[in-house]
Amino acid sequence: MKRRTVLASAILAAVATPGIARAAGPGPSVTRTGTTTLDSQAIFFVSYDGLVNNNSFQKNGLLTYKGHQYAVWYTADRNAVVGRRALGSGTWSTVKVGHTLRYDDSHNVISMGVSRTDGRLHLNMDSHSDGFTYVKSVAGLMDNPSGLSWTAARFGAPQSTLDGLSLTSQFTYPQFISTPEGRLQLSYRVAVSGNGRNALAEYDGSAWTALGEWSSATGTYAGEHGSSTARNMYLHGIDYDRNGRLHSFFTWREQNGAVMCSSGGITNHDTGYVYSDDRGRTWRNDAGTVVGTTGGSDKVAVTDSGLVIDALNPDHSLMNQESQFTDSAGRPHAIISYVPGRFGQCTTNYVADRTANGRAFHVRKNASGTWQKTEIPVPPASSQRTKLVLDKYDNAYAVFPFGRIAGASAASGHTDWRLLFDGGGLNAFGEVVIDEMRIAQDNVLSVMYQEKSTGTTPSALHVVDFALPA
């Protein structure tokens, strides 16, 4: 019988950490260099308090590869579109890929991935607890952007499978990740919120293979107010570091609302962490103990020991699917957010309480190998998610809803968080999408955001660029 152990004692207070390995570089800074418009009339509707074109858990809604940047969105007439521009260009070329959005559901996002083995762009879209639509480009399109025209003919027909591979009838949250060898993996959830499992598929340049599920929905979680026997693991992300380790922070969401102090809250609890050193086949807890095997009988479960790195009960409206990043040494970082206990021990209105009193926290493994947690002294003032990125000097940046940006220096042990950009002039609705891949290419932070609107009136979709320290 597996048991649950909380590693709360490993969480440190928000103090500077000795033994920072790298020499101090410049501190964090952002310099706005320009804004481009993807679509002056993109589709706008609010569901789950978000927009279908700007859910921060998209991986990737915006990406850079070999000197060109790519963006995906739905137009006012519901067409799925892919845009491309050369870095530094103010002009985007767009193509429709033959799919129209089925429902007004903001979780039906479009995610992109690049298979380096054959130079294809892959899209997975319109999937929230049912089927998905998959489109891939011709081979070589991503390797020769200046030589191959950007037209709809470069993309294949929309499919309801991965080239014939059927995964599940209840598919959600596609995330493409590239292995160090250049294979493309697809992370997704099987089944539904509160009772789902994480799974992986892999593309080797010729065919897709289902690797299988790796998290479990079963086991008993005993909370302060009641217990639950079903749940799902919500990922804050899934990312390879430069050494080839695959990292994932997560939170659990219980199916049974009896675990909460109030029905107006949310059943998310605890921040956990696992990693894999064999391309997602085997999963280990922070201590290195195997806690699950992809496609095997033993999967990562709420009853496993050593998973929790920050303990929190379901009474504080902890956000799921927030954000994570790895630094130059391969150390994992995450942003989590919830209503701290100083504002009360029971949230009764998830959206209102998070908007009024929610706070974001930077959780990271420091150079001494222990977990450090720092409250970011910039209230999100939103119920929605914050994104995390690191620059080449390992300075950290939190990109809040409405496009506000805060930063903390590596030299301080990431304890000197301050506001760098107040979002002025953007008129951004809420969550934003980040180009995680561009920073490594040219020290630019690209943020995709949509302007505020009302009802279902379309609004402008933009990409704003910020230069980071050179």
Side-chain angles (χ1 to χ4, degrees):
M1 179 80 178
K2 297 177 181 178
R3 59 189 179 85
R4 178 174 177 269
T5 300
V6 174
L7 302 183
S9 60
I11 297 296
L12 303 182
V15 296
T17 303
I20 298 298
R22 60 187 292 128
S29 65
V30 293
T31 303
R32 185 174 172 178
T33 58
T35 302
T36 58
T37 299
L38 292 167
D39 191 334
S40 62
Q41 295 287 294
I43 194 168
F44 185 99
F45 59 84
V46 179
S47 81
Y48 300 99
D49 303 311
L51 304 180
V52 71
N53 288 330
N54 277 99
N55 265 304
S56 68
F57 55 75
Q58 288 175 253
K59 188 178 182 75
N60 297 281
L62 186 67
L63 67 79
T64 294
Y65 189 77
K66 294 192 174 181
H68 282 68
Q69 190 171 47
Y70 301 80
V72 284
W73 70 95
Y74 295 104
T75 62
D77 60 0
R78 312 180 78 83
N79 274 284
V81 169
V82 188
R84 182 180 77 172
R85 68 165 174 170
L87 290 183
S89 172
T91 304
W92 292 82
S93 299
T94 62
V95 296
K96 297 178 181 179
V97 296
H99 177 74
T100 55
L101 178 67
R102 294 173 298 160
Y103 315 120
D104 283 356
D105 181 335
S106 68
H107 283 41
N108 286 337
V109 299
I110 308 174
S111 294
M112 291 185 288
V114 180
S115 51
R116 300 200 312 272
T117 55
D118 59 0
R120 295 182 193 267
L121 180 66
H122 302 251
L123 310 179
N124 191 296
M125 65 195 96
D126 210 349
S127 56
H128 188 196
S129 301
D130 57 7
F132 61 82
T133 295
Y134 169 67
V135 172
K136 69 178 183 181
S137 76
V138 297
L141 181 64
M142 304 298 283
D143 295 328
N144 187 21
S146 59
L148 293 179
S149 60
W150 189 245
T151 64
R154 302 291 183 189
F155 292 86
Q159 308 175 48
S160 59
T161 65
L162 299 178
D163 294 335
L165 176 65
S166 297
L167 297 176
T168 173
S169 61
Q170 293 181 311
F171 177 102
T172 312
Y173 303 130
Q175 296 187 76
F176 287 109
I177 47 175
S178 183
T179 71
E181 301 81 19
R183 294 188 177 198
L184 185 66
Q185 294 180 324
L186 177 62
S187 167
Y188 60 97
R189 186 186 72 193
V190 177
V192 298
S193 176
N195 191 15
R197 292 96 62 196
N198 290 317
L200 287 170
E202 186 173 86
Y203 176 75
D204 64 3
S206 60
W208 282 96
T209 302
L211 301 183
E213 299 174 9
W214 62 271
S215 74
S216 172
T218 61
T220 298
Y221 168 76
E224 299 172 27
H225 313 289
S227 63
S228 176
T229 58
R231 71 205 44 82
N232 71 274
M233 175 194 286
Y234 271 113
L235 303 183
H236 289 306
I238 184 165
D239 298 278
Y240 284 98
D241 66 26
R242 61 183 60 188
N243 302 314
R245 175 168 288 182
L246 184 60
H247 304 264
S248 192
F249 290 87
F250 63 88
T251 185
W252 297 107
R253 176 176 291 179
E254 298 300 322
Q255 184 181 63
N256 188 356
V259 299
M260 297 186 294
C261 61
S262 168
S263 61
I266 194 167
T267 60
N268 297 340
H269 64 89
D270 296 324
T271 297
Y273 169 76
V274 289
Y275 71 88
S276 173
D277 283 334
D278 57 5
R279 309 303 186 253
R281 271 64 173 180
T282 303
W283 295 92
R284 299 176 183 269
N285 66 13
D286 184 48
T289 303
V290 174
V291 288
T293 301
T294 300
S297 58
D298 183 27
K299 299 178 177 62
V300 183
V302 74
T303 49
D304 281 325
S305 63
L307 296 180
V308 176
I309 61 165
D310 188 48
L312 188 71
N313 68 24
D315 296 342
H316 295 274
S317 292
L318 175 68
M319 175 52 79
N320 52 283
Q321 298 168 280
E322 195 111 29
S323 189
Q324 68 174 46
F325 215 82
T326 58
D327 64 23
S328 62
R331 292 186 291 261
H333 296 238
I335 285 189
I336 64 174
S337 65
Y338 57 88
V339 178
R342 66 179 183 270
F343 297 107
Q345 297 299 327
C346 180
T347 55
T348 59
N349 184 309
Y350 166 73
V351 172
D353 289 346
R354 280 184 55 87
T355 302
N357 297 315
R359 297 293 186 269
F361 298 82
H362 178 208
V363 178
R364 75 175 186 96
K365 178 167 280 193
N366 59 35
S368 63
T370 54
W371 292 98
Q372 176 178 327
K373 179 182 177 183
T374 304
E375 181 174 340
I376 301 174
V378 180
S382 168
S383 65
Q384 297 179 284
R385 299 171 181 86
T386 295
K387 292 293 290 183
L388 173 69
V389 295
L390 276 70
D391 67 20
K392 67 179 183 179
Y393 300 106
D394 285 340
N395 299 312
Y397 300 82
V399 188
F400 291 97
F402 319 118
R404 294 180 302 148
I405 304 173
S409 68
S412 73
H414 301 100
T415 60
D416 59 351
W417 285 95
R418 60 187 177 89
L419 189 65
L420 302 176
F421 177 68
D422 67 2
L426 299 186
N427 193 34
F429 169 80
E431 289 184 13
V432 297
V433 172
I434 303 298
D435 189 335
E436 298 177 356
M437 299 169 65
R438 185 174 183 184
I439 295 171
Q441 301 219 4
D442 64 356
N443 292 324
V444 172
L445 170 62
S446 283
V447 179
M448 184 167 76
Y449 70 95
Q450 191 160 350
E451 292 188 20
K452 295 176 183 175
S453 187
T454 57
T456 57
T457 303
S459 66
L461 184 67
H462 303 286
V463 173
V464 57
D465 295 330
F466 299 90
L468 300 177

